[in-house]
């Protein structure tokens, strides 16, 4: 093999014609893939995520071999720990001229590969990850000179670049760039939620599920409910189901919280986009086509496209622009230890319990559950930024650091000093009540701030405002909240702060 290029394909790079594999032919390269203990355990990954990645990797191996590629594949059972171990072994057994790899999705992996290349003396060639629609260099050029990064500005650039949802004059369809106002309806149980089909697992996936159950017995994830596609064809079927059965109501209810359904009308395709089984641009164009064919509202189509073409590309750009320093930020000095119930969902706040349980069991929660239920609590309680980010990276099937870190550290926890979010996304129980029907099944009342059965979000919200008022005074979007706090009589403010201290200590299990 010494005359061939060695191409390393990571578990989130499963696209045949992109990245390091773009332009590769079976005659001139040898592909390496490896299931590694270090990658499977550097955080306490949800078992759904491990099973998805391992099964998708094994299916992709077969796709590569069917296309004529020589593939060396080290399965988890072979006991290799790290990327360095896998690379050392193949170099020792096969020889290697140069190593080619697509830019990883995590800074630590990039550093590990550069360290290995330097120590081994094997040259490393980076291939740009052209599955993404905004190259890191292009994002850096857009970001240059900006004190803050606003997704809306970036999103308009991307819409124009790819000519998506534009009219003949190059202006946004419908006259507006953003239809978020139409995408905030709370759930009141008035519509039937489409049933998701149970997928039939083939021999490869069954083998992987048995492996993951045995090797990761204490990780979160109910493997009996594993229902994820593991091939490109399967992922495309899931996208088609979303477009045919869910898209029309997706926009209206994308912020909703429901007792009746874990999924509502969400697409459930982010994990396939993030490991390479779906193309983001093709997915956006299919959704645009559905709108042009009259199969969904403009608000629904724009809502999906904004998440994929806008938000997804935006957070990746921020990650590579600001790393590695970004991961150390803690702008609000949040240091409270993560409560143990984040790992078992044994908490008596109904919305939080539901969001945590489905996150742990299924590796899934939609963006409002992540941001305004779980993230909101972490923000208000001042939970450790490092611990919260590690938890998010661990429990979600679609979580890789490039997407998880900005969403958690920047958006949910406002720990980056406002680089990406224009204000802290802090909210009281009233917000959660508006979004759905969890409050009706909860012992707490969202209309009470103190006293028995008062929703803890309420007093914790005001305590957060009071605790951080010095920095919040500089933020014009927080002026109304500060004025409302200041209008309260001194005795009421003191009562709220005392109740918040009591509730915070109880929920955080402070002795």
């Amino acid at each position: 093999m010494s005359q061939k290029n060695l191409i390393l394909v990571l578990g989130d790079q499963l696209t045949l014609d992109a990245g390091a594999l773009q332009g590769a032919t079976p005659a001139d390269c040898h592909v390496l893939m490896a299931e590694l203990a270090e990658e499977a355990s550097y955080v306490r990954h949800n078992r759904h995520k491990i099973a998805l990645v391992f099964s998708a990797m094994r299916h992709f191996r077969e796709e590569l071999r069917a296309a004529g590629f020589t593939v060396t594949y080290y399965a988890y059972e072979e006991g290799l720990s790290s990327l360095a171990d896998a690379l050392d072994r193949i170099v020792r057994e096969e020889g290697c001229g140069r190593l080619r790899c697509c830019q990883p999705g995590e800074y630590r992996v990039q550093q590990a590969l550069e360290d290995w290349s330097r120590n081994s003396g094997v040259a490393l060639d980076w291939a740009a990850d052209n599955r993404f629609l905004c190259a890191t260099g292009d994002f850096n050029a857009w970001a240059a000179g900006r004190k803050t990064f606003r997704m809306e500005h970036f999103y308009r650039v991307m819409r124009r670049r790819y000519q998506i949802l534009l009219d003949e004059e190059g202006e946004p369809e419908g006259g507006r760039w953003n239809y978020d106002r139409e995408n905030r309806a709370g759930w009141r149980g008035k519509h039937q939620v489409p049933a998701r089909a149970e997928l039939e697992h083939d021999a490869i996936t069954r083998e992987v599920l048995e492996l993951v159950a045995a090797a990761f017995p204490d990780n979160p994830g109910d493997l009996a409910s594993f229902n994820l596609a593991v091939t490109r064809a399967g992922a495309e079927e899931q996208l088609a189901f979303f477009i045919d059965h869910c898209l029309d109501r997706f926009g209206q209810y994308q912020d909703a919280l429901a007792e009746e359904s874990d999924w509502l009308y969400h697409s459930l395709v982010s994990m396939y986009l993030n490991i390479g089984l779906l193309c983001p641009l093709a997915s956006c164009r299919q959704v645009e086509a559905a709108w042009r064919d009259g199969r969904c509202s403009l608000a629904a189509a724009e809502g999906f496209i904004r998440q994929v073409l806008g938000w997804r590309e935006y957070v990746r750009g921020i990650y590579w622009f600001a790393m590695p320093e970004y991961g150390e930020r803690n702008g609000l000095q949040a240091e409270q230890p993560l409560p143990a119930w984040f790992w078992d969902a044994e908490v008596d706040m109904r919305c939080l319990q539901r969001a945590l349980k489905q996150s742990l069991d299924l590796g899934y929660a939609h963006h409002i559950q992540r941001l305004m239920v779980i993230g909101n609590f972490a923000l208000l309680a001042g939970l450790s930024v490092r611990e919260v980010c590690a938890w998010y990276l661990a429990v979600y099937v679609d979580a890789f650091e490039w997407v998880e870190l900005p969403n958690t550290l920047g958006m949910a926890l406002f720990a980056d000093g406002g680089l990406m979010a224009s204000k802290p996304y802090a909210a009281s129980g009233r917000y959660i009540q508006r979004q759905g029907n969890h409050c009706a099944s909860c012992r707490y009342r969202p209309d009470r701030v103190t006293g028995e059965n008062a929703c803890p979000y309420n007093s914790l919200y005001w305590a957060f405002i009071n605790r951080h008022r010095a920095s919040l005074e500089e933020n014009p979007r927080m002026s109304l909240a500060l004025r409302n706090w200041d209008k309260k009589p001194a005795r009421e403010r003191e009562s709220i702060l005392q109740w918040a201290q009591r509730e915070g200590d109880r929920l955080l299990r402070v002795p």
Side-chain angles (χ1 to χ4, degrees):
M1 194 191 74
S2 59
Q3 300 305 311
K4 290 186 177 182
N5 294 320
L6 176 62
I7 294 181
L8 174 64
V9 174
L10 302 175
D12 59 345
Q13 299 175 347
L14 309 181
T15 308
L16 190 59
D17 55 354
L21 287 167
Q22 185 171 28
T25 65
D28 63 10
C29 69
H30 186 120
V31 176
L32 170 65
M33 302 179 70
E35 301 167 5
L36 303 168
E38 184 175 83
E39 295 304 306
S41 61
Y42 69 95
V43 291
R44 194 181 169 197
H45 291 295
N46 195 297
R47 297 194 296 177
H48 283 242
K49 180 179 181 180
I50 302 172
L52 168 67
V53 174
F54 281 8
S55 183
M57 287 176 68
R58 294 183 184 196
H59 283 89
F60 190 66
R61 171 196 63 196
E62 299 309 304
E63 183 180 351
L64 285 169
R65 287 174 175 168
F69 287 93
T70 299
V71 182
T72 294
Y73 193 98
Y74 299 137
Y76 185 83
E77 296 91 331
E78 297 187 51
L80 291 175
S81 176
S82 66
L83 278 169
D85 291 340
L87 290 165
D88 286 343
R89 177 172 168 181
I90 196 167
V91 169
R92 184 172 60 250
E93 294 178 352
E94 302 283 352
C96 178
R98 303 179 70 86
L99 173 66
R100 181 170 173 79
C101 183
C102 180
Q103 181 186 22
E106 302 194 357
Y107 181 84
R108 64 175 185 85
V109 177
Q110 178 174 293
Q111 292 301 110
L113 288 169
E114 290 177 348
D115 289 345
W116 177 83
S117 174
R118 185 166 50 252
N119 294 333
S120 68
V122 175
L124 173 60
D125 297 328
W126 287 119
D129 195 340
N130 54 358
R131 298 173 303 163
F132 289 93
L133 305 178
C134 182
T136 53
D138 290 344
F139 184 90
N140 292 348
W142 173 83
R146 298 174 187 261
K147 293 182 179 179
T148 58
F149 303 160
R150 295 294 172 256
M151 196 282 290
E152 185 65 25
H153 304 151
F154 171 79
Y155 172 51
R156 295 181 185 188
V157 171
M158 295 297 287
R159 284 266 297 274
R160 290 192 187 280
R161 176 182 296 180
Y162 288 97
Q163 296 291 294
I164 289 184
L165 287 182
L166 300 182
D167 62 21
E168 293 180 355
E169 284 73 42
E171 295 302 314
E173 292 284 4
R176 286 161 48 195
W177 290 100
N178 186 313
Y179 287 82
D180 188 46
R181 289 199 302 270
E182 281 80 358
N183 295 340
R184 300 176 185 173
W187 180 254
R188 299 295 179 260
K190 294 181 179 180
H191 303 288
Q192 185 72 30
V193 178
R196 308 266 175 172
E198 290 190 16
L199 304 181
E200 184 175 345
H201 303 316
D202 64 10
I204 291 177
T205 299
R206 292 195 299 271
E207 181 180 53
V208 166
L209 290 172
E210 291 177 5
L211 163 67
V212 172
F216 303 93
D218 299 323
N219 286 37
D222 175 15
L223 289 178
S225 61
F226 182 81
N227 198 42
L228 298 172
V230 292
T231 65
R232 183 174 323 282
E236 289 172 348
E237 288 176 2
Q238 295 302 302
L239 177 63
F241 178 89
F242 164 68
I243 292 172
D244 291 342
H245 301 285
C246 303
L247 176 59
D248 192 36
R249 288 205 171 109
F250 160 73
Q252 184 180 6
Y253 292 112
Q254 66 173 294
D255 285 5
L257 302 169
E259 285 288 311
E260 298 90 333
S261 172
D262 294 324
W263 322 113
L264 284 179
Y265 304 96
H266 285 270
S267 65
L268 276 64
V269 299
S270 57
M271 67 289 288
Y272 309 132
L273 291 166
N274 290 355
I275 67 173
L277 298 185
L278 283 180
C279 170
L281 184 58
S283 300
C284 288
R285 295 211 186 280
Q286 287 183 58
V287 167
E288 180 184 29
W291 170 69
R292 295 193 183 280
D293 291 343
R295 298 163 60 196
C296 70
S297 68
L298 179 56
E302 189 278 323
F304 177 89
I305 289 167
R306 182 173 1 111
Q307 288 187 6
V308 177
L309 182 64
W311 191 259
R312 183 173 184 269
E313 299 289 332
Y314 167 75
V315 296
R316 178 178 180 263
I318 286 177
Y319 178 82
W320 286 109
F321 179 87
M323 284 296 283
E325 176 271 336
Y326 191 81
E328 302 302 318
R329 295 191 185 189
N330 188 0
L332 298 180
Q333 301 302 306
E335 300 288 355
Q336 286 285 351
L338 193 75
W341 47 260
F342 262 67
W343 292 104
D344 59 23
E346 293 186 4
V347 62
D348 60 0
M349 299 162 69
R350 180 63 176 173
C351 60
L352 193 51
Q353 188 272 335
R354 278 295 306 269
L356 289 171
K357 183 168 175 53
Q358 74 175 65
S359 299
L360 296 166
D361 287 351
L362 305 173
Y364 169 79
H366 67 68
H367 65 287
I368 293 300
Q369 292 172 305
R370 299 192 203 196
L371 175 64
M372 300 306 299
V373 178
I374 301 171
N376 185 31
F377 179 86
L379 173 69
L380 300 182
L383 300 187
S384 162
V385 172
R386 186 179 297 275
E387 291 185 44
V388 173
C389 288
W391 183 87
Y392 273 80
L393 185 59
V395 300
Y396 292 113
V397 172
D398 58 4
F400 296 90
E401 195 179 63
W402 66 265
V403 66
E404 174 276 323
L405 190 63
N407 270 310
T408 307
L409 185 149
M411 193 69 176
L413 303 180
F414 203 66
D416 66 0
L419 178 69
M420 66 179 294
S422 59
K423 72 177 186 67
Y425 277 81
S428 69
R430 288 286 199 183
Y431 171 86
I432 293 169
Q433 182 185 37
R434 287 196 300 271
Q435 297 313 121
N437 55 10
H438 289 324
C439 293
S441 303
C442 185
R443 79 175 185 89
Y444 296 110
R445 290 184 51 173
D447 59 341
R448 292 185 179 177
V449 180
T450 62
E452 294 302 321
N453 298 326
C455 177
Y457 280 108
N458 293 334
S459 60
L460 291 175
Y461 171 80
W462 290 119
F464 172 85
I465 296 296
N466 182 73
R467 185 165 70 249
H468 295 293
R469 71 166 305 135
S471 61
L472 297 180
E473 283 175 340
E474 302 174 2
N475 189 320
R477 294 195 66 192
M478 297 303 295
S479 59
L480 178 61
L482 288 167
R483 287 198 302 271
N484 287 339
W485 175 241
D486 290 339
K487 287 178 184 177
K488 296 179 184 297
R491 183 174 296 179
E492 182 181 352
R493 293 200 302 268
E494 183 60 29
S495 176
I496 291 172
L497 294 177
Q498 289 178 359
W499 189 261
Q501 183 68 49
R502 174 193 162 182
E503 288 295 89
D505 288 349
R506 178 181 66 84
L507 289 164
L508 301 180
R509 310 290 200 260
V510 175

